[in-house]
Amino acid sequence: MKVFNQRESWQSRTGFIFAALGSAVGLGSIWRFPYVVGQNGGGAFILLYLIFLAIIGFPILIAEIVIGKSAQSSPYGAFKSIGKNRFWGFSGKTLIFTGFIISSFYSVIAGWMLGYLIEAIIGHLNFTSTNLALSHFDKLSSSALWSVGWHFVFMALSILILFFGVRKGIEQKSKIMMPLLIVVVIILVVKGLTLPSAMKGIKFLFSPNWKMITPAGILIALGQAFFTLSLGQGTMITYGSYLSKNEDIPKSCFPVVILNTIISLLVGVAVFTIVFSQDLAPQAGPSLIFETIPLVFTKMKGGYFLAIFFFLLVTLAALTSEISALEPFISYLIDEKKWPRKKASIFAGIVAFIIGIPSALSFGLLKRFTILGMNFFDFISFFSINILVPLGGLLAVILVSYVWGIKKAFSHLSVSKEVFFHHRPWMAFYFKICLKYVSPVLIILILLNLLGIF
Ligand code: PHE
């Protein structure tokens, strides 16, 4: 007998862990994390970030996964079935929209990484001064053809993976790409640690400079903890929905949080030992990867290969994240509109590519076009990462804690409620306090702060 519309699922727990880790480790961990650490006081910032991961990142990850796993449907279907009214259905759609918008500009930056990988391979990243590195980056990122072109190629690669579905696409490809990524990180860390002045980098990274912590820095640490775990935009709800009903959620999520943290810290070690070895400033900001890193590699023995490894690492990490940002919308089209996966993937890819074009042109042709004083890229990334993502997280937390109820929600955490509560009462207590009180309060504070009210 043919089974119609059978929902896809992960093949194994390891498969889920690699896929979720692939989503978590991305531009946020490799491109953003080192430079926000550099700008906000090194070790002190890291400590704050770790605390936020523990008190809001991990609990909300659990909350999102439990929503998906119990409903076995896209964020829209999941929110609607748990919230039982149109408001929650609409909220689910908002999360899908957020992930989709993020996928559109994420692909632009990821496209630059892919473009830089090719630049590294053809030997174009030889710079003798910061100015040369800078002008090369400006020249490329302002070129419409280069920027839109790589955005297109990157999006096409992502769609190609999604085309194959959950097991053969997302899971299988993550299981190949993530170990490769870990190997590349280790090579770079070993190289970094053997450089002269490596200790300066380590010291910067791990010795807290509390004077550099500002209120804005605290919010950045909180936002980073959120973004790095791909929360607030349907991704983890969707990935949770492919878990089988009897999966133990804390057991499958804990490794994701730990490994993501370790990888981010290792990338920090690699970047800062390399940067300090050449006496360069750690505060370069978003351009750290495109200007400082190639400059450092030019001066180093074996720099040609290191540059290739480095941009390969970032591209792989971005690819496994991009697919996770697109998947909620695709799962919505499959679940709700009954579209076949191939049609849904191509449609999502084409639309996300088109929406991403103004972002790709924001550094050249559309430089002067601004919304609220920001170029299109800055506006859309600010709006989605700083406003829509915390809002999505808040909705998920409220749904679990106050609409569904912690007790009912937790009964889906493991095979059965008894198993969970009897064997791990402290964990249940911890999640409950974090989800009911700590997370909503902190997220509301972030949002009020952004609106200038607090
Ligand atoms: N977690 C990803 C990162 O650190 C960002 C991301 C967010 C990816 C949302 C997909 C969806 O880069």
Side-chain angles (χ1 to χ4, degrees):
M1 189 182 75
K2 199 168 170 200
V3 183
F4 288 98
N5 286 333
Q6 200 182 26
R7 209 157 186 280
E8 296 177 276
S9 64
W10 307 112
Q11 185 150 26
S12 66
R13 178 184 289 170
T14 329
F16 164 77
I17 292 175
F18 274 120
L21 185 64
S23 170
V25 176
L27 296 176
S29 334
I30 300 181
W31 168 60
R32 193 166 186 269
F33 183 69
Y35 85 75
V36 291
V37 170
Q39 289 175 327
N40 290 285
F45 180 87
I46 291 187
L47 208 63
L48 275 177
Y49 165 75
L50 293 178
I51 294 173
F52 287 138
L53 269 182
I55 62 175
I56 105 169
F58 186 37
I60 298 185
L61 174 65
I62 297 281
E64 291 202 4
I65 298 281
V66 87
I67 292 175
K69 188 189 103 166
S70 79
Q72 300 275 311
S73 98
S74 79
Y76 165 73
F79 269 45
K80 207 175 72 170
S81 72
I82 296 170
K84 299 200 169 54
N85 62 36
R86 284 179 54 190
F87 168 79
W88 287 106
F90 176 76
S91 301
K93 281 188 183 165
T94 311
L95 269 82
I96 296 174
F97 174 76
T98 306
F100 192 62
I101 291 294
I102 290 180
S103 77
S104 76
F105 64 81
Y106 200 85
S107 162
V108 172
I109 305 287
W112 291 355
M113 301 291 176
L114 184 56
Y116 257 63
L117 172 62
I118 305 301
E119 291 286 296
I121 294 174
I122 54 183
H124 276 183
L125 299 183
N126 272 315
F127 306 115
T128 43
S129 74
T130 316
N131 274 347
L132 287 176
L134 212 118
S135 67
H136 188 71
F137 176 64
D138 281 345
K139 191 185 92 199
L140 292 181
S141 60
S142 62
S143 147
L145 185 66
W146 192 81
S147 217
V148 177
W150 286 115
H151 164 47
F152 177 82
V153 175
F154 187 81
M155 186 65 81
L157 282 175
S158 312
I159 294 307
L160 191 66
I161 296 177
L162 288 165
F163 219 70
F164 290 101
V166 174
R167 284 190 186 186
K168 290 216 175 90
I170 304 174
E171 180 168 351
Q172 211 185 66
K173 306 300 177 279
S174 302
K175 267 170 126 173
I176 300 170
M177 290 194 277
M178 290 315 286
L180 186 60
L181 177 145
I182 293 171
V183 171
V184 178
V185 173
I186 292 173
I187 294 176
L188 290 170
V189 168
V190 171
K191 176 72 196 178
L193 287 176
T194 52
L195 291 172
S197 333
M199 275 331 278
K200 268 203 237 161
I202 299 288
K203 240 179 148 174
F204 172 78
L205 202 53
F206 295 110
S207 56
N209 178 357
W210 292 105
K211 286 196 207 91
M212 273 178 79
I213 291 289
T214 57
I218 298 176
L219 291 179
I220 293 176
L222 189 55
Q224 179 69 17
F226 229 90
F227 189 64
T228 193
L229 290 179
S230 309
L231 301 172
Q233 27 127 39
T235 289
M236 289 302 178
I237 298 173
T238 310
Y239 276 18
S241 75
Y242 301 135
L243 280 172
S244 86
K245 282 269 188 194
N246 45 27
E247 182 61 51
D248 184 294
I249 294 180
K251 261 194 200 148
S252 34
C253 288
F254 190 63
V256 175
V257 178
I258 294 293
L259 288 171
N260 175 53
T261 310
I262 294 176
I263 293 177
S264 299
L265 291 176
L266 286 178
V267 170
V269 168
V271 169
F272 287 114
T273 46
I274 291 172
V275 166
F276 274 89
S277 76
Q278 306 292 334
D279 279 330
L280 290 167
Q283 290 98 347
S287 60
L288 189 66
I289 275 192
F290 296 104
E291 290 150 18
T292 315
I293 293 286
L295 186 66
V296 176
F297 285 150
T298 306
K299 296 188 189 162
M300 258 159 61
K301 226 174 92 207
Y304 170 79
F305 292 104
L306 288 172
I308 294 177
F309 281 146
F310 189 81
F311 287 104
L312 176 67
L313 161 77
V314 196
T315 306
L316 288 177
L319 197 53
T320 47
S321 297
E322 173 72 9
I323 55 179
S324 79
L326 284 162
E327 180 64 15
F329 183 50
I330 294 175
S331 77
Y332 168 79
L333 294 174
I334 296 173
D335 288 349
E336 304 297 328
K337 306 283 174 216
K338 308 290 170 221
W339 284 19
R341 170 168 280 276
K342 292 202 163 90
K343 178 176 164 192
S345 312
I346 293 180
F347 177 75
I350 291 176
V351 180
F353 168 70
I354 294 172
I355 300 177
I357 292 177
S359 291
L361 297 178
S362 292
F363 306 85
L365 271 183
L366 294 182
K367 212 182 221 157
R368 283 190 184 60
F369 171 74
T370 58
I371 308 171
L372 301 175
M374 294 178 258
N375 71 28
F376 186 83
F377 176 89
D378 289 339
F379 171 76
I380 199 160
S381 57
F382 177 86
F383 181 67
S384 48
I385 296 178
N386 295 329
I387 297 179
L388 291 179
V389 162
L391 188 68
L394 184 63
L395 288 167
V397 166
I398 292 179
L399 181 68
V400 166
S401 306
Y402 297 100
V403 178
W404 197 6
I406 293 274
K407 261 223 154 84
K408 262 202 214 146
F410 280 13
S411 68
H412 296 269
L413 277 185
S414 196
V415 188
S416 78
K417 147 163 112 205
E418 282 64 35
V419 173
F420 188 77
F421 285 119
H422 283 166
H423 293 295
R424 288 172 283 189
W426 52 273
M427 200 192 253
F429 178 74
Y430 175 70
F431 285 147
K432 184 171 150 184
I433 298 294
C434 290
L435 288 175
K436 269 189 106 153
Y437 310 107
V438 182
S439 314
V441 170
L442 283 176
I443 299 175
I444 289 172
L445 286 182
I446 308 186
L447 289 170
L448 290 181
N449 178 279
L450 279 170
L451 299 174
I453 299 169
F454 163 73

